[in-house]
Amino acid sequence: MSEAVIVSRKDAVLTLKINRPEDENRINRAAMEAIVKGLTQAENDPSIRVVVITGTPEYFCSGGRVEVDANGQFIDQPGYARAIAAMHEQLDRIPAPIIAAVSGHCVAGGTALLAGADLAIAVEDAQFGFPEINHGRFPVLALASALPLFPKKRAFEAFYFGERFSAREALDLHLINKVVPRAEFDDAVDDYVQKLLSKNPASLPFGRKAYYAMETMSPGSRIAHGQALLQGLLAGAEKGGFKG
């Protein structure tokens, strides 16, 4: 049996490749636990400076997969829900920037994984969408993750109709940063990686932590938090420490 997620490292870059093409790269509990394990490695090892999450050529990720028994009944739904929560908590917690290398279609819960990344590059033939409504459900997990990213009317259109949209449309919606032909995809991802590696190795983790701390704050609290962080930076600079 192949690994659900292939974890590999090259120098300062850790890559997590979802590897369940037989199920359109839907992530089951084992896959989520493998992703958490890889992210935990990045959290605990400061020499890992960039994390890349990717998939196989046809699918980046097409959502989740809850295991079923011989009668088709779901198995351990609470455990599956906890695995989802743990994965998203770890996505926020690690210090290294995360790039989503969208190698193929990214639909349903796959967009929640996309939303957990800081940067995203997609192949131009990738499709995006929320088809849950067409199967009698509603994309509540994607809603929770993608809500800050979508304009309200466009979000309801995507969630209510369940139609797929192109990578160019995803770019216009600011769900991704860049769209490239498949032949240029690896080079484009590497270009982003090298740009990140060229920066101060202390500044990026500091800024990532600050962003996610401020994300849910009120505007006034953000200013206060930023002010406190700036004072700490300036104090460190005076002592010859942090050079952010």
Side-chain angles (χ1 to χ4, degrees):
M1 182 178 296
S2 61
E3 295 177 83
V5 177
I6 299 173
V7 181
S8 60
R9 179 174 179 177
K10 182 179 180 181
D11 300 324
V13 182
L14 186 75
T15 299
L16 308 178
K17 179 181 179 180
I18 303 169
N19 185 44
R20 303 191 71 244
E22 73 284 355
D23 195 22
E24 298 182 345
N25 274 2
R26 292 181 176 88
I27 48 176
N28 56 10
R29 185 172 175 180
M32 287 186 282
E33 289 172 349
I35 290 171
V36 168
K37 185 177 180 179
L39 294 173
T40 301
Q41 180 182 346
E43 180 185 19
N44 295 331
D45 185 349
S47 69
I48 295 174
R49 296 184 51 202
V50 179
V51 172
V52 177
I53 300 177
T54 192
T56 50
E58 187 173 356
Y59 277 90
F60 169 72
C61 177
S62 62
R65 171 66 72 194
V66 185
E67 281 81 4
V68 297
D69 61 21
N71 298 316
Q73 300 298 310
F74 289 134
I75 300 172
D76 192 18
Q77 291 164 279
Y80 179 82
R82 287 192 297 270
I84 292 175
M87 183 180 69
H88 284 280
E89 288 169 3
Q90 196 66 6
L91 284 166
D92 286 351
R93 191 159 53 226
I94 73 167
I98 301 174
I99 300 172
V102 185
S103 51
H105 303 321
C106 177
V107 298
T111 57
L113 191 58
L114 172 67
D118 308 324
L119 301 166
I121 300 173
V123 291
E124 61 184 358
D125 56 339
Q127 295 179 348
F128 298 75
F130 306 89
E132 289 91 338
I133 197 72
N134 299 325
H135 304 282
R137 300 188 296 273
F138 198 84
V140 288
L141 179 59
L143 174 64
S145 301
L147 190 60
L149 307 179
F150 271 90
K152 177 181 174 181
K153 298 294 189 295
R154 187 63 181 91
F156 276 117
E157 181 182 30
F159 296 151
Y160 283 171
F161 298 162
E163 297 171 347
R164 291 193 179 191
F165 51 94
S166 70
R168 294 290 174 187
E169 291 175 285
L171 180 66
D172 291 341
L173 288 167
H174 302 162
L175 295 180
I176 56 179
N177 298 94
K178 190 171 186 176
V179 178
V180 296
R182 189 170 290 275
E184 300 173 15
F185 180 65
D186 290 342
D187 287 342
V189 173
D190 186 61
D191 178 60
Y192 268 34
V193 167
Q194 296 307 317
K195 285 178 179 177
L196 292 172
L197 293 178
S198 73
K199 308 305 179 185
N200 184 326
S203 295
L204 293 177
F206 182 89
R208 187 175 201 272
K209 182 178 180 181
Y211 179 93
Y212 287 106
M214 293 183 187
E215 189 176 29
T216 57
M217 293 180 183
S218 66
S221 296
R222 289 175 185 166
I223 295 297
H225 187 69
Q227 198 170 28
L229 292 176
L230 178 60
Q231 289 172 354
L233 282 175
L234 295 176
E238 288 178 358
K239 297 175 182 178
F242 187 90
K243 302 296 184 182

